Amino acid sequence: MTATTSALTDEVRAMIGVTGDKVEASLLGIEREGLRRFTQAIMDPDPRYWDDAFAKSTRYGGIVTPPIYCTYLGRKTPAGADDPVSRAFLENPNCDGVAGIEDSGVGALPLVPTNLRRSLNGGNEIEVYKYPMLGDRIFSQAKYADIAEKIGKDGKPFLIITTEVIYTDQDGAELCILRQVRLRR
Amino acid sequence: MLSADELRNKTQLYFDDLELQQEMTALVIGPLTTTHIFRWSAAIENWGRIHYDQNFAIYHEGLPNILGHGSWKQSILPRYLKDICLPDGWMWKVSFQHRAMIVPGDTITCWAKVTSKSTQDGLGLIGLDVGMLLQTGVETCPGKATIVLPIRGGRAVPYPFVRPKNA
């Protein structure tokens, strides 16, 4: 019988609690055009997202966004930036549209030092506290909230990595928390 | 699906109104088309080709078709629960797993069922089992949620929302 080597090494364990830089997650702040496109894409006709007079009469006091809208703002390419799509396809004509395009690296967490390469989405947890309003700026900060180990049915260890991103506005008010669990096998 | 006017005029659901095992009104979305899926890609600037390039999805990635996004599903459940809570309740927490793929032609039914009721700090907390069923009966996004509803005669649900003590 062969002893199983733990994947939860001291180096991996040391990543728990490691926190990235707090970065601005919105290029333009909360603005109407982005909000219009987003709410159409989730097929939500709620007038709280577009009717100024009605929104002002609600408990929010003005136009707000859907619950986790602010978590999607970090992907956008700034005007004047090198075109990441053209660059990625020049480097790899079979680019999948993701590699080399989406991750600017700003505010990103350091990689977990493991040889386990296969990454699976283990689920999401969301907490919501406040909706951003038009003109608000959005900030995010990521950390490794937890890293645990389990043994798979094949007898091999795998890691359960929970990343937590906290989104805040320009006043530091907590908007929402997004946790993603990834399995590394 | 509630219209803009129905959302504008929605009457409040109270903690007192719900019973254990009660099923909430479902939200049906679909059939989804390639265009719906691409619209999400464009809205969030997700250029992953498996979501809009059918040749790439099928012949390069070996998928049955282009795929709906996990990130879209991630926004649909909070959107559904938000509607249930309007106008003055709060969609506080939701967790879920990504299971079956969504492809063009699929119709999704968001559902929720009451599994617990408790009061904390004068607020009514409703625990829910939630999910997104495909038209085939396959569950694509099983999860759990906590919504906060006002109690008749009780205090207002705070906004911005504040975690209840000991919750």
Side-chain angles (χ1 to χ4, degrees), chain B residues 2 6-13 83-87:
Chain B
L2 296 177
E6 288 170 326
L7 290 164
R8 193 189 303 270
N9 298 312
K10 184 173 176 294
T11 54
Q12 182 65 55
L13 180 67
D83 286 356
I84 291 172
C85 296
L86 285 174

Side-chain angles (χ1 to χ4, degrees), chain B:
Chain B
M1 190 182 301
L2 296 177
S3 68
D5 278 345
E6 288 170 326
L7 290 164
R8 193 189 303 270
N9 298 312
K10 184 173 176 294
T11 54
Q12 182 65 55
L13 180 67
Y14 286 88
F15 177 79
D16 321 58
D17 300 335
L18 293 174
E19 296 177 359
L20 291 177
Q21 303 305 311
Q22 185 169 337
E23 295 181 4
M24 314 302 289
T25 303
L27 168 68
V28 179
I29 299 177
L32 290 171
T33 65
T34 300
T35 309
H36 288 108
I37 293 170
F38 175 72
R39 182 168 63 178
W40 176 255
S41 283
I44 67 164
E45 299 189 24
N46 175 336
W47 309 123
R49 292 169 69 187
I50 59 169
H51 301 301
Y52 56 86
D53 184 337
Q54 194 176 49
N55 281 341
F56 182 83
I58 293 174
Y59 299 115
H60 192 273
E61 296 296 306
L63 296 167
N65 202 333
I66 67 162
L67 302 185
H69 306 66
S71 58
W72 181 80
K73 290 197 285 185
Q74 188 167 303
S75 247
I76 294 299
L77 277 177
R79 169 225 189 287
Y80 168 55
L81 297 168
K82 178 267 298 179
D83 286 356
I84 291 172
C85 296
L86 285 174
D88 294 326
W90 191 247
M91 197 302 293
W92 179 25
K93 294 195 286 192
V94 60
S95 62
F96 48 86
Q97 294 183 331
H98 296 283
R99 297 274 177 87
M101 295 182 282
I102 293 177
V103 296
D106 281 344
T107 294
I108 290 157
T109 300
C110 299
W111 60 274
K113 186 176 181 180
V114 177
T115 56
S116 68
K117 291 181 69 177
S118 62
T119 58
Q120 291 189 36
D121 296 349
L123 299 175
L125 274 59
I126 302 289
L128 299 165
D129 279 347
V130 298
M132 299 172 72
L133 272 181
L134 299 178
Q135 72 283 355
T136 54
V138 171
E139 178 55 64
T140 179
C141 212
K144 296 187 178 300
T146 304
I147 61 174
V148 184
L149 297 176
I151 300 171
R152 289 187 193 280
R155 72 180 180 107
V157 176
Y159 182 79
F161 185 69
V162 179
R163 289 178 188 88
K165 292 171 190 163
N166 306 319

Side-chain angles (χ1 to χ4, degrees), chain A residues 77-136:
Chain A
T77 303
D82 285 343
D83 179 6
V85 174
S86 297
R87 185 184 62 231
F89 279 88
L90 274 175
E91 291 171 359
N92 175 14
N94 282 320
C95 174
D96 63 4
V98 178
I101 293 179
E102 291 190 345
D103 189 1
S104 69
V106 177
L109 293 170
L111 298 176
V112 173
T114 176
N115 291 325
L116 301 173
R117 294 288 173 227
R118 191 171 172 221
S119 180
L120 302 170
N121 188 340
N124 296 84
E125 295 179 7
I126 294 164
E127 296 180 28
V128 183
Y129 294 94
K130 186 173 187 283
Y131 298 150
M133 300 183 75
L134 287 178
D136 279 354

